[in-house]
Amino acid sequence: MITVLRIGHRPQRDKRITTHVCLVARAFGADAVIVDTPDSTLKETVEDVVKEWGGDFSITFQPWKRVLKSWKGKIVHLTMYGLPIEDKIAEIRENDPILVVVGAEKVPPQLYEAADFNISITSQPHSEVAALAVFLDRCFQGAQLRKDFGGSLKIVPSERKKLFRDIANQNRKAKII
Ligand code: SAM
């Protein structure tokens, strides 16, 4: 079981990127996301996606220090200053549950202390969305790419067309091109 903790969320400035953190967490196989600042719009957006596209993914809000204190499992903090993922992923994979922490603009130093693993996805600066996606992919070794979410909305993979099934809406098959 993997829970993602997104810290440093500022509802006005980080709306889009935190939404992407949540959507990537869900699509790439995590079970839940905890965001450190309450944001009702974000909650609604993520819950609407879960409702239509399926899965058991949940979003909750809690101060990050409290989450770290009460977490019963290993904590992985994604940071460009950490040890290379290639060297540690086998060891990380042996743990369950895992809390994966991603930051925003400024990451408090206590996080580096609290984490069991400080892990880099390359030692270059980039994005929490990319770091999370690569981490989850390495963690699940690609298996999550074939996960069936069982939602009422489903893409019908196609080479040239945009096709989806909307089971809730009388199995309508839409073609958008
Ligand atoms: N400069 C900030 C700091 O460390 O205090 C980080 C800013 S970065 C835009 C936001 C988040 O993206 C980081 O907290 C980290 O979780 C993630 N991130 C960015 N580059 C990364 C890398 N190379 N490896 C792992 N995570 C990374």
Side-chain angles (χ1 to χ4, degrees), residues 5-15 17-18 21 34-39 42 61-65 67 77 101-108 111 128:
L5 171 62
R6 198 295 194 259
I7 69 166
H9 172 63
R10 297 154 301 177
Q12 292 312 313
R13 297 182 61 178
D14 300 322
K15 187 169 139 59
I17 199 138
T18 302
V21 165
I34 304 172
V35 180
D36 65 346
T37 313
D39 184 335
L42 175 67
F61 299 86
Q62 246 191 85
W64 66 268
K65 282 186 188 166
V67 179
H77 169 218
V101 189
V102 292
E105 207 156 76
K106 243 186 171 191
V107 177
L111 190 54
E128 50 271 51

Side-chain angles (χ1 to χ4, degrees), residues 57-169:
F57 191 79
S58 68
I59 176 166
T60 53
F61 299 86
Q62 246 191 85
W64 66 268
K65 282 186 188 166
R66 198 191 296 164
V67 179
L68 296 190
K69 216 169 171 191
S70 62
W71 184 252
K72 306 261 185 296
K74 295 291 183 190
I75 299 172
V76 179
H77 169 218
L78 299 183
T79 165
M80 66 177 177
Y81 301 105
L83 299 178
I85 189 170
E86 315 84 273
D87 297 347
K88 300 300 277 183
I89 192 66
E91 191 184 337
I92 292 171
R93 234 187 260 124
E94 286 168 9
N95 298 284
D96 183 38
I98 296 173
L99 182 72
V100 186
V101 189
V102 292
E105 207 156 76
K106 243 186 171 191
V107 177
Q110 300 102 293
L111 190 54
Y112 291 82
E113 294 297 319
D116 297 289
F117 300 92
N118 286 294
I119 295 297
S120 61
I121 313 289
T122 79
S123 298
Q124 304 297 317
H126 51 84
S127 139
E128 50 271 51
V129 178
L132 180 61
V134 172
F135 176 81
L136 291 172
D137 188 55
R138 290 293 173 106
C139 207
F140 292 118
Q141 299 177 283
Q144 85 289 351
L145 298 179
R146 298 227 168 251
K147 178 173 170 175
D148 183 357
F149 286 83
S152 65
L153 265 185
K154 224 175 214 155
I155 301 286
V156 181
S158 162
E159 225 166 71
R160 301 253 183 272
K161 293 170 183 163
K162 290 184 182 174
L163 300 175
F164 70 91
R165 276 208 180 85
D166 185 351
I167 291 163
N169 195 356

